Amino acid sequence: MLTPKRHALIIELIKQKQLVTIQELVELTNVSESTIRRDLSELETKQKLARVHGGATAIQSARQELSYREKTDKYVEEKKQIAQLAAALIRPHDCIYLDAGTTTYEIIPHLETLNVTVVTNGLTHLELLNQYQIKSFLLGGLIKHTTRAIIGSQALHNLKLYHFDKVFIGTNAIDPSFGYSTPDPEEASVKSAAITQGSQSFIVADHSKLNQRSFAKIAELAQATLIIDSIPADLENKLREQTDIKVVTA
Amino acid sequence: MLTPKRHALIIELIKQKQLVTIQELVELTNVSESTIRRDLSELETKQKLARVHGGATAIQSARQELSYREKTDKYVEEKKQIAQLAAALIRPHDCIYLDAGTTTYEIIPHLETLNVTVVTNGLTHLELLNQYQIKSFLLGGLIKHTTRAIIGSQALHNLKLYHFDKVFIGTNAIDPSFGYSTPDPEEASVKSAAITQGSQSFIVADHSKLNQRSFAKIAELAQATLIIDSIPADLENKLREQTDIKVVTA
DNA sequence: CTGTTTTTGATTGTTTTTGATTGATTTCCG
DNA sequence: CGGAAATCAATCAAAAACAATCAAAAACAG
């Protein structure tokens, strides 16, 4: 039996039973105990399970959860790299604002040991913030069910109650002359207001957003540093005339 | 038997019986007394139980307090009846406040056709509100991870932005002289502030909360109508001197 | 086909877990 | 109070599970 197939079987059985013995796995896969031990060892370092004396148990870490839901999203790997680069800018005990969105979501796992305080308008972030037990504040306001974000005048009002060391915002479009923009004016208002409340503000976006214009303007390029996975050289030069840019270097 | 499985069994039995003897655990798990002793020792340091001479008991300190999700909710049927009675008071296009908690949660399904606007501080309510596509506002503020509620000064500030036709609040304790109370002062503040923002306010609670006092006072009895599943006649008379009461009539 | 690398299963000695035993401590009950 | 019974922590040896090692088998590359 091929190793990946065997690993898949093991993970599947653990998922079903939560707890398996080495003997059960030996019977399931018809390989020796030694091989199973090696498999468990390997899968443990990959955070796919937790070993216990005599077998292994399922692990419901944030990472596994995360890998489960990443299917719906595009450029996940790039977003993770962007998030990592963004997180590297954060210092212990910073107070940061995390905009709703998938790229900002990927920043959360990097916050675990930083003792930061997070303010967000993204309801999708809450579960992960909870899992990492990060001190978190939510903006108040209208719940936009489609994107699960908090918007509206109350949200703007709420933002005035905070000041942030760093602000991380997602965007749908980046254009050399129109700046950062997004389809929903309500969301744009919140993003814009957040930027003005931060000492430093960052736009996190993947390369598919470059050279795009959307309906509602968030801010000028100069108002926030751009963090992106890759960018053509000529466009980078053009943007650098107006703002700072950080590019993921692979 | 694998250690985690055994530990799970032990905790499960303690959860059911509150108090277990070592002998019971030996029979349950078919291991020696020594092993059980070691297990209890280990689980005690993990704060999963408290040892007593001869066995172990469930721990009910705040530390062990089960988080909202895993809390095996009691009196679900009663709460549904209370919720139904509460929902019958709501008129179309009302603006209502729903406190965090399991009883208020049960109100949501009744709102579907009423075109109400809901304001809440309960994150656990969001999924259901989304499902029924109810226009919803969330209070801003600190996220209390254990109960998944919004609290803090920002929440109080947010409440000032609204006025409600009806306010529905949960409580942990109802006492003829101490009024309504709950363990966490921060939560009590939010509940209290919400009550003052409503034209009419209601406390929804099951009968297990009667004649109890908790640490932090929410409000006097007179400040909110009590909605409850059942109540002894003498206590009802005593409470009716101070406030209105609605009882589920089965 | 031949030489190399990878994977596997068996074997080894080591570590962890377990159950029995011991003497100390606590609880019970007269 | 005081002794008996029960329960306890500490210890130790046996059993189970473990990581490390190595040679055979399989997969691979040239």
Side-chain angles (χ1 to χ4, degrees), chain B residues 68-133:
Chain B
Y68 184 95
R69 194 163 300 203
E70 57 195 283
K71 184 181 287 182
T72 48
D73 196 18
K74 287 182 175 174
Y75 303 115
V76 177
E77 205 44 55
E78 286 84 349
K79 284 176 178 174
K80 285 186 180 173
Q81 292 174 349
I82 296 164
Q84 189 168 17
L85 181 54
L89 302 168
I90 300 169
R91 319 235 303 234
H93 301 95
D94 267 357
C95 295
I96 66 171
Y97 178 81
L98 280 190
D99 188 26
T102 48
T103 309
T104 49
Y105 180 88
E106 298 292 344
I107 294 178
I108 300 175
H110 299 283
L111 303 178
E112 188 168 19
T113 58
L114 288 174
N115 265 309
V116 295
T117 299
V118 170
V119 180
T120 183
N121 73 326
L123 299 177
T124 52
H125 294 176
L126 298 183
E127 197 178 337
L128 209 50
L129 288 168
N130 181 18
Q131 193 177 317
Y132 288 115
Q133 292 289 309

Side-chain angles (χ1 to χ4, degrees), chain A residues 104-171:
Chain A
T104 48
Y105 180 86
E106 299 292 345
I107 293 178
I108 300 174
H110 299 283
L111 304 178
E112 189 168 20
T113 58
L114 287 174
N115 263 306
V116 295
T117 299
V118 171
V119 181
T120 183
N121 73 326
L123 299 177
T124 52
H125 294 177
L126 296 183
E127 196 177 341
L128 207 50
L129 287 168
N130 182 16
Q131 278 177 35
Y132 286 114
Q133 292 288 307
I134 295 166
K135 187 175 184 185
S136 311
F137 291 80
L138 199 61
L139 296 189
L142 180 64
I143 299 170
K144 184 177 173 185
H145 287 307
T146 51
T147 58
R148 297 185 50 74
I150 304 286
I151 58 173
S153 64
Q154 295 88 351
L156 301 179
H157 186 85
N158 267 251
L159 272 168
K160 295 283 184 286
L161 301 175
Y162 305 99
H163 179 84
F164 311 110
D165 295 308
K166 272 126 191 160
V167 171
F168 298 93
I169 303 289
T171 185

Side-chain angles (χ1 to χ4, degrees), chain A:
Chain A
M1 170 170 330
L2 270 50
T3 309
K5 172 76 174 172
R6 210 173 52 233
H7 285 189
L9 275 176
I10 292 172
I11 290 172
E12 181 57 31
L13 188 66
I14 289 182
K15 191 171 157 190
Q16 283 177 21
K17 299 194 52 177
Q18 290 294 108
L19 175 70
V20 294
T21 66
I22 294 215
Q23 278 315 309
E24 285 175 324
L25 293 174
V26 167
E27 287 176 32
L28 174 71
T29 59
N30 287 317
V31 295
S32 72
E33 206 176 289
S34 297
T35 302
I36 295 295
R37 287 185 198 288
R38 271 186 290 259
D39 288 340
L40 293 185
S41 218
E42 194 177 335
L43 291 171
E44 186 182 36
T45 58
K46 286 185 184 170
Q47 306 262 350
K48 301 288 187 181
L49 51 79
R51 295 188 70 180
V52 296
H53 204 85
T57 70
I59 192 172
Q60 55 272 48
S61 86
R63 278 166 220 290
Q64 202 181 29
E65 190 84 8
L66 198 137
S67 64
Y68 174 73
R69 47 180 67 195
E70 55 193 40
K71 291 161 192 163
T72 53
D73 198 22
K74 285 182 176 175
Y75 301 114
V76 177
E77 206 43 56
E78 286 83 350
K79 285 175 177 173
K80 283 184 182 177
Q81 293 174 347
I82 295 164
Q84 190 167 17
L85 181 54
L89 302 168
I90 301 170
R91 315 231 296 227
H93 301 95
D94 268 358
C95 295
I96 66 172
Y97 178 81
L98 280 190
D99 188 27
T102 48
T103 309
T104 48
Y105 180 86
E106 299 292 345
I107 293 178
I108 300 174
H110 299 283
L111 304 178
E112 189 168 20
T113 58
L114 287 174
N115 263 306
V116 295
T117 299
V118 171
V119 181
T120 183
N121 73 326
L123 299 177
T124 52
H125 294 177
L126 296 183
E127 196 177 341
L128 207 50
L129 287 168
N130 182 16
Q131 278 177 35
Y132 286 114
Q133 292 288 307
I134 295 166
K135 187 175 184 185
S136 311
F137 291 80
L138 199 61
L139 296 189
L142 180 64
I143 299 170
K144 184 177 173 185
H145 287 307
T146 51
T147 58
R148 297 185 50 74
I150 304 286
I151 58 173
S153 64
Q154 295 88 351
L156 301 179
H157 186 85
N158 267 251
L159 272 168
K160 295 283 184 286
L161 301 175
Y162 305 99
H163 179 84
F164 311 110
D165 295 308
K166 272 126 191 160
V167 171
F168 298 93
I169 303 289
T171 185
N172 282 63
I174 302 166
D175 182 271
S177 61
F178 193 55
Y180 309 112
S181 54
T182 201
D184 182 348
E186 290 275 9
E187 292 201 23
S189 297
V190 175
K191 289 171 196 281
S192 176
I195 288 174
T196 63
Q197 297 299 116
S199 297
Q200 293 178 280
S201 295
F202 302 89
I203 297 284
V204 290
D206 65 76
H207 62 272
S208 71
K209 312 296 167 52
L210 288 169
N211 269 325
Q212 306 278 322
R213 290 180 185 213
S214 197
F215 177 63
K217 184 164 180 168
I218 299 169
E220 301 289 348
L221 289 181
Q223 288 181 266
T225 299
L226 175 62
I227 303 179
I228 198 157
D229 57 320
S230 72
I231 183 170
D234 57 338
L235 183 59
E236 180 172 359
N237 290 332
K238 211 187 298 182
L239 295 184
R240 274 199 191 279
E241 293 171 11
Q242 301 179 57
T243 189
D244 194 14
I245 305 178
K246 292 183 187 295
V247 183
V248 173
T249 49

